[in-house]
Amino acid sequence: MIPPEFDYVAPTTLAEAVAALGEAGEDAKILAGGQSLIPVLRLRLAFPTTLVDLSRVPELRGVSEDADTLVIGAMTKHSDVVEDPLVQQHAPLLSEATATVADPAVRHRGTFGGALAHADPAGDLAAVALALDAELVAEGPGGRRTIPARDFFLDYLETSLSPDEILAAVRIPKLRGSWGVRYEKFNRVAQAWAIVGVAAAVRTEGGAIAEARIGLTNMGSTPVRPAAVEAALVGASDRAAVVAACAAVAEGLTPPSDLGAQADYRAHLARVLTARAVAHAAGMSS
Amino acid sequence: MRVRMKVDGVTYEDEVQPRTLLTHHLRDGLGRVGTPIGCDTSSCGACTVDIDGESVKSCSVLAVQADGSTITTIQGLSGAENGDSSTWHPVQKAFQEHHGLQCGYCTPGMIMATVDLLKRNPSPSEDEVRHGLEGNLCRCTGYQNIVKAVLSAASELRGEGPLPGSFQDAPENDTAQTPAAETAGAPA
């Protein structure tokens, strides 16, 4: 279908973009890579008055370091995140998960910040941002503020960004020490959304788990960080102990029931995939 | 809005609405109808084109976003548009020789995605070919001959010549095939 009519502006600096968004009013939408928004427009599920296109704002692209933190511009494309040597070195969980997003052509357009701001709980990257304790940097008319990932995802497609704010960058603390990572994604066919996904980063000491960070994809209306399971995993030194600790991963969660899977099946998948991801990350696969 | 883009070697400048999709601009505005529209939900990849060196689904890009870009469609891939198959891109030739299509609707996107894949990975394994083309759906072939065609094109682009086993290599009349050739494992 042909999208509904809208006005279009393409600012070239972040300051211009914030001003344009403010001027366009509350029914404006930000256009990042467009790989979710443009299909939504084509299906006429949204009727924005104005699109503020960020693709011509160079300061929003690229990966850099700020001491112990990796700084990823919100408009950095998935394909660039996957290939970036700094991301591979300091946040390999993000490289691994991003490589599973959609397909190569979509990854050539879709952006890291766009995926997070879209906040689809079936998207792979929100769980990764949550597991890695990322901070989201938002720029608005009142200036810049930093939002921890745990406070960013509020509900299905809803974040704590206010309508006049733009997600500018994502700050990810570098992993230090002997961390292993794994993103386990379960879907029925290539390029499909995750029915359930599990992002795991695990630090081991002397063959036992010293610290575990886990993010769950599509197990609720937001990405989920199962803190009790993370705590229970500490000290686990073999696969059986990992499986036992992960048995409670779906407790208290209300995963969706849809064409992809019923809620109880998702709970089962979460238990299996979390154990698999943690065991792999900890080098206990066999 | 005024947009300017170079498509298959020709620079066009046109007035478009902001809501015009690139794929509609290519087809309806510029008459470049070699790029089909398949699913309209970013799933099928039939409308894949190359924008500034990257494969992209042209149904998920606005024409205004492509302002200033250089675009290659299936029609510009060979550099010639006279229908002369001797000038075809090696990927186009391989799809013909290995019968990597049946109805042909997905083929322009499949070929554009393949060209991008082989540019990034000149020696893909069969598994890498299948994953590399996961954004392109074919409802006819079952993908077997598409994968063969891609592996053959990769070999040819590396300078190692096309892979044998194309349907053109088969004997014209199956009944003429000798038992000896069959036991020698000639491809069916």
Side-chain angles (χ1 to χ4, degrees):
Chain A
M1 242 193 300
I2 295 168
E5 283 190 59
F6 48 77
D7 291 327
Y8 171 88
V9 285
T12 55
T13 67
L14 181 55
E16 275 176 32
V18 170
L21 190 61
E23 228 167 84
E26 61 178 20
D27 289 329
K29 283 291 274 180
I30 296 166
L31 176 60
Q35 300 302 288
S36 296
L37 180 57
I38 292 178
V40 161
L41 295 174
R42 281 203 325 255
L43 295 169
R44 299 217 172 188
L45 298 173
F47 297 86
T49 51
T50 304
L51 290 191
V52 179
D53 182 1
L54 300 182
S55 65
R56 297 182 198 271
V57 182
E59 66 199 277
L60 293 177
R61 286 191 195 275
V63 181
S64 59
E65 292 172 286
D66 179 7
D68 286 341
T69 305
L70 208 54
V71 183
I72 304 177
M75 285 294 291
T76 307
K77 296 183 295 183
H78 297 315
S79 52
D80 291 336
V81 169
V82 171
E83 285 163 22
D84 189 273
L86 286 173
V87 178
Q88 286 168 358
Q89 189 184 346
H90 300 299
L93 181 58
L94 179 60
S95 316
E96 189 181 323
T98 306
T100 74
V101 172
D103 58 64
V106 169
R107 292 195 293 272
H108 284 152
R109 295 291 296 186
T111 65
F112 184 36
L116 297 181
H118 185 52
D120 189 327
D124 303 292
L125 304 180
V128 174
L130 196 61
L132 294 180
D133 290 326
E135 294 181 321
L136 295 98
V137 181
E139 184 93 13
R144 181 164 279 228
R145 68 182 177 118
T146 301
I147 308 161
R150 64 177 177 277
D151 298 330
F152 185 77
F153 303 103
L154 300 184
D155 205 344
Y156 182 73
L157 307 184
E158 201 183 321
T159 71
S160 56
L161 286 173
S162 71
D164 57 1
E165 281 182 316
I166 291 173
L167 179 60
V170 183
R171 297 174 59 87
I172 298 179
K174 294 177 185 172
L175 291 178
R176 295 251 184 244
S178 53
W179 288 86
V181 301
R182 181 69 166 178
Y183 187 66
E184 283 285 341
K185 178 173 181 170
F186 189 89
N187 55 10
R188 289 189 306 125
V189 293
Q191 83 166 194
W193 296 90
I195 292 175
V196 172
V198 179
V202 177
R203 185 168 61 82
T204 50
E205 267 174 30
I209 292 174
E211 193 178 350
R213 300 185 193 169
I214 299 166
L216 305 178
T217 297
N218 218 2
M219 282 297 289
S221 60
T222 62
V224 175
R225 186 93 185 252
V229 169
E230 291 180 347
L233 280 165
V234 174
S237 57
D238 60 26
R239 204 169 198 290
V242 167
V243 170
C246 293
V249 73
E251 270 174 29
L253 302 183
T254 49
S257 283
D258 54 31
L259 285 175
Q262 295 297 307
D264 60 342
Y265 180 50
R266 282 201 161 88
H268 169 74
L269 282 176
R271 288 189 287 272
V272 172
L273 298 176
T274 305
R276 234 179 243 177
V278 169
H280 188 282
M284 300 171 184
S285 279
S286 53
Chain B
M1 296 186 73
R2 202 101 194 123
V3 294
R4 188 185 162 88
M5 58 189 82
K6 191 170 178 181
V7 181
D8 297 337
V10 179
T11 301
Y12 298 88
E13 202 170 327
D14 295 276
E15 196 68 32
V16 298
Q17 286 188 304
R19 63 172 171 165
T20 306
L21 300 172
L22 177 61
T23 189
H24 290 144
H25 182 56
L26 291 172
R27 291 177 55 83
D28 305 337
L30 308 182
R32 311 298 292 168
V33 294
T35 299
I37 301 169
C39 64
D40 217 21
T41 54
S42 311
S43 303
C44 80
C47 66
T48 304
V49 300
D50 181 295
I51 304 182
D52 295 331
E54 292 184 326
S55 60
V56 164
K57 296 180 177 182
S58 62
C59 72
S60 299
V61 180
L62 301 173
V64 287
Q65 288 181 289
D67 183 28
S69 300
T70 299
I71 295 170
T72 305
T73 77
I74 188 73
Q75 284 176 270
L77 192 59
S78 70
E81 297 194 22
N82 53 11
D84 175 3
S85 61
S86 69
T87 65
W88 281 359
H89 187 281
V91 175
Q92 289 173 301
K93 276 187 209 160
F95 269 68
Q96 186 204 32
E97 284 165 8
H98 290 267
H99 207 159
L101 64 147
Q102 285 178 31
C103 86
Y105 202 87
C106 72
T107 310
M110 203 63 86
I111 286 176
M112 295 309 291
T114 299
V115 170
D116 187 83
L117 168 68
L118 297 183
K119 189 171 67 184
R120 289 160 214 285
N121 182 359
S123 302
S125 64
E126 180 181 332
D127 196 48
E128 286 168 337
V129 170
R130 290 180 182 274
H131 277 287
L133 296 179
E134 68 185 345
N136 293 74
L137 304 182
C138 171
R139 303 285 81 154
C140 302
T141 62
Y143 302 99
Q144 295 296 100
N145 285 354
I146 291 175
V147 174
K148 279 188 208 164
V150 175
L151 291 170
S152 180
S155 173
E156 177 144 33
L157 285 165
R158 290 194 305 268
E160 297 163 19
L163 299 180
S166 78
F167 78 99
Q168 290 178 337
D169 295 338
E172 282 187 16
N173 184 348
D174 279 348
T175 56
Q177 210 169 16
T178 64
E182 275 172 5
T183 52

